Amino acid sequence: MEATQTATGHVSAATVLAAGQEGAKAMTIAEKLIAATSKKARKAAILLLEDGTRFDGWACGAPGEVTGEICFNTSLEGYLEVITDPSYAGQIVTMTYPQIGNYGVNLDDTQSAKPALRGLVVHDMCRTPSNWRSSMSLPEFLERENIVAIEGIDTRALVRHIRDFGAQTAILSTEDLDAASLAEKVAAAPSLVGRNLAKTVSRAATESFDKVPESQAFAVAAPAPKKYHVVAYDCGVKESILVGLVRVGCDLTVVPWDTPAADVLAMEPDGVFLSNGPGDPDAVTETYEQARELIGKVPVFGICLGHQMISLASGGEMEKLKFGHRGGNQPVMNLVSGQVEITAQNHGFGLVFPSLGKLVPELSGGVAEHTADGDLRFWSQRRIAPVVENERFGRIRLTHVNLNDGTCEGIQLLDQNAFSVQYHPEANPGPTDAHYLFTAFCRLMDGDADYLNINISQDRLAGWVFGSKEA
């Protein structure tokens, strides 16, 4: 309907009324059209950031209201593994890939018994998945697990805002749609910094673990025979990391996050593993204090939060990253082998490598001073794995560097049997380039001094069968 104006230039009341009636009629038709699609009837939802940035969309999970640190994951697949990764405790996760849920949910791929994230943000949610392994749709899973989710927003704009202005607290609601009310709530929400979230997702008692998902047997060979008794600290461990250890021959005993080192040593393990987990590493005091007691007595391997535990046990300092590393496309150089890995990552804090000690020039290409800007790509450009002298554990080598921002991705204690990486080598979700790190841990337990110097191109294919008779 065309609007008509009076002689004074104002739209007449009759025209406004008629236009409103026409708009209401059109809205009714739109609602009927949507109701006839897989989207069905939609309920409004709001995502509000602590700086006042607001995104309006539609609920696509359980109803409710949650607060948490807003972050984003750049993986093209693996949304179920992301949603069930305990490392996302306390966070609202944004998926950058535009459509999420199109291959549904297979419960064998979950990484924990219960999702720990606070909420989920997507551009478009698929309610009609197509995959032979799927047992339910993602919205059904979200509703079953009581996870609040929103769709229909411009995730590109949201991610750019986070990149520009950094991580911050946000509120996601399907119940309260008043911006002023939501702003008060998000202002009162707790920060991720200073909170020990590892204790909220760790198991409560010691358990053995030997699970290998049967539905993955079409692609992955049976585990190697058990050779090593490994005690794994559960700080919020992804189940697939434990599976990765089982596949290379580890007989696993999994213990709570704060288990005393004396109790672990009494089990007489061949090695100790420190797992991934959520939150601020500085707050997980009990774990890194145990790590300090274990290093030098038994081979130790740490992943993600486990890397940070070894770093803190060594007297290192942590920094809060502007927006963290989350996704399956993070390039990392192994300074020992010179090879580059595309890695899966999920962390918001990182080690300040110079805080471990002063450089040893004769082991660092003649360089005596750390770079002023802290960018560790200085070493990747020169193909040098620098070594510092640490007051607690002797020589520590920088082994891995993030090629996107020059942050530390791995260290090796040269005078102790210990090493760690900041990323997730089991590739759930993500590429398999870093699978060799499980092999490296076995080589460390075997006493191989050059355990990190592995051809990743060969190792990443080990154990894959893809439908062969052996599967």
Side-chain angles (χ1 to χ4, degrees):
M1 173 181 291
E2 291 184 359
T4 57
Q5 293 184 326
T6 63
T8 59
H10 296 288
V11 179
S12 69
T15 300
V16 172
L17 177 62
Q21 293 172 339
E22 188 74 16
K25 180 180 178 182
M27 183 63 69
T28 302
I29 293 173
E31 290 173 349
K32 289 180 178 179
L33 289 171
I34 291 172
T37 70
S38 63
K39 295 291 186 184
K40 305 299 181 183
R42 300 190 294 180
K43 182 178 180 180
I46 289 180
L47 174 69
L48 183 73
L49 277 54
E50 66 175 292
D51 66 3
T53 304
R54 171 177 170 172
F55 295 88
D56 292 89
W58 307 98
C60 58
E65 183 175 288
V66 293
T67 60
E69 183 181 87
I70 187 74
C71 65
F72 61 89
N73 186 292
T74 59
S75 297
L76 304 185
E77 41 70 41
Y79 50 79
L80 182 62
E81 290 90 337
V82 170
I83 292 168
T84 56
D85 180 353
S87 293
Y88 281 110
Q91 295 181 308
I92 298 173
V93 182
T94 305
M95 301 300 296
T96 62
Y97 191 73
Q99 186 179 67
I100 299 298
N102 53 1
Y103 56 84
V105 168
N106 183 298
L107 296 177
D108 271 356
D109 298 336
T110 58
Q111 299 301 301
S112 60
K114 183 74 176 177
L117 82 170
R118 302 292 293 153
L120 182 68
V121 181
V122 303
H123 174 67
D124 179 59
M125 178 66 77
C126 177
R127 287 167 171 77
T128 55
S130 177
N131 188 286
W132 64 276
R133 297 180 70 240
S134 176
S135 59
M136 69 179 74
S137 71
L138 182 55
E140 289 173 333
F141 178 78
L142 296 175
E143 290 176 11
R144 191 188 82 168
E145 299 298 332
N146 198 33
I147 300 172
V148 182
I150 185 173
E151 69 170 322
I153 73 170
D154 187 345
T155 50
R156 298 168 301 177
L158 173 58
V159 169
R160 176 167 289 186
H161 188 82
I162 297 171
R163 286 176 59 90
D164 288 345
F165 298 99
Q168 55 186 292
T169 306
I171 186 168
L172 170 58
S173 181
T174 67
E175 299 174 341
D176 184 354
L177 304 181
D178 180 76
S181 172
L182 293 175
E184 292 180 0
K185 294 175 184 177
V186 75
S191 169
L192 200 67
V193 177
R195 295 169 63 195
N196 181 351
L197 293 173
K199 66 180 180 181
T200 69
V201 291
S202 175
R203 65 195 66 209
T206 298
E207 301 173 348
S208 61
F209 183 95
D210 60 1
K211 175 183 175 182
V212 176
E214 292 184 6
S215 69
Q216 297 176 4
F218 75 98
V220 186
K226 292 181 179 179
K227 181 180 178 181
Y228 314 95
H229 177 214
V230 171
V231 175
Y233 273 81
D234 177 10
C235 299
V237 67
K238 292 168 66 177
E239 193 163 284
S240 55
I241 290 180
L242 297 179
V243 172
L245 290 166
V246 169
R247 290 197 183 282
V248 294
C250 295
D251 180 11
L252 284 183
T253 300
V254 188
V255 300
W257 69 285
D258 58 349
T259 302
D263 292 354
V264 171
L265 293 173
M267 300 178 192
E268 299 183 350
D270 297 305
V272 171
F273 171 72
L274 303 173
S275 84
N276 66 295
D280 186 344
D282 281 310
V284 194
T285 310
E286 289 89 335
T287 304
Y288 69 74
E289 286 181 346
Q290 307 316 312
R292 186 181 302 154
E293 297 300 316
L294 291 165
I295 293 172
K297 297 182 177 69
V298 64
V300 179
F301 174 33
I303 287 176
C304 198
L305 183 69
H307 160 74
Q308 296 164 354
M309 294 298 95
I310 291 176
S311 300
L312 287 168
S314 304
E317 296 175 3
M318 293 294 138
E319 63 179 340
K320 182 77 164 67
L321 303 179
K322 185 177 181 181
F323 48 80
H325 302 150
R326 299 177 181 90
N329 52 4
Q330 297 278 338
V332 169
M333 174 174 280
N334 179 331
L335 298 176
V336 177
S337 68
Q339 293 177 302
V340 174
E341 311 157 26
I342 302 301
T343 68
Q345 305 200 14
N346 174 17
H347 61 102
F349 295 81
L351 166 66
V352 180
F353 178 70
S355 67
L356 292 177
K358 295 182 178 180
L359 287 170
V360 180
E362 57 269 28
L363 298 177
S364 307
V367 180
E369 299 293 336
H370 291 287
T371 58
D373 59 4
D375 191 335
L376 301 178
R377 286 173 293 188
F378 171 89
W379 303 106
S380 63
Q381 292 165 359
R382 290 157 179 79
R383 302 296 192 272
I384 295 172
V387 176
V388 299
E389 186 65 35
N390 182 258
E391 291 184 358
R392 291 179 180 170
F393 296 126
R395 298 169 302 159
I396 298 180
R397 172 190 282 167
L398 174 68
T399 57
H400 297 78
V401 171
N402 188 300
L403 297 182
N404 278 342
D405 62 6
T407 53
C408 175
E409 293 281 3
I411 59 173
Q412 177 186 20
L413 279 60
L414 296 180
D415 297 320
Q416 316 293 336
N417 290 328
F419 75 108
S420 59
V421 291
Q422 182 64 79
Y423 49 97
H424 294 188
E426 93 301 342
N428 280 278
T432 59
D433 294 21
H435 175 273
Y436 75 95
L437 290 163
F438 294 112
T439 304
F441 185 36
C442 294
R443 289 173 55 166
L444 173 62
M445 290 187 286
D446 285 336
D448 186 344
D450 200 24
Y451 58 91
L452 275 178
N453 191 12
I454 297 174
N455 187 316
I456 66 173
S457 299
Q458 294 178 4
D459 188 86
R460 68 186 297 228
L461 298 177
W464 293 97
V465 294
F466 298 107
S468 69
K469 293 182 180 180
E470 288 78 5

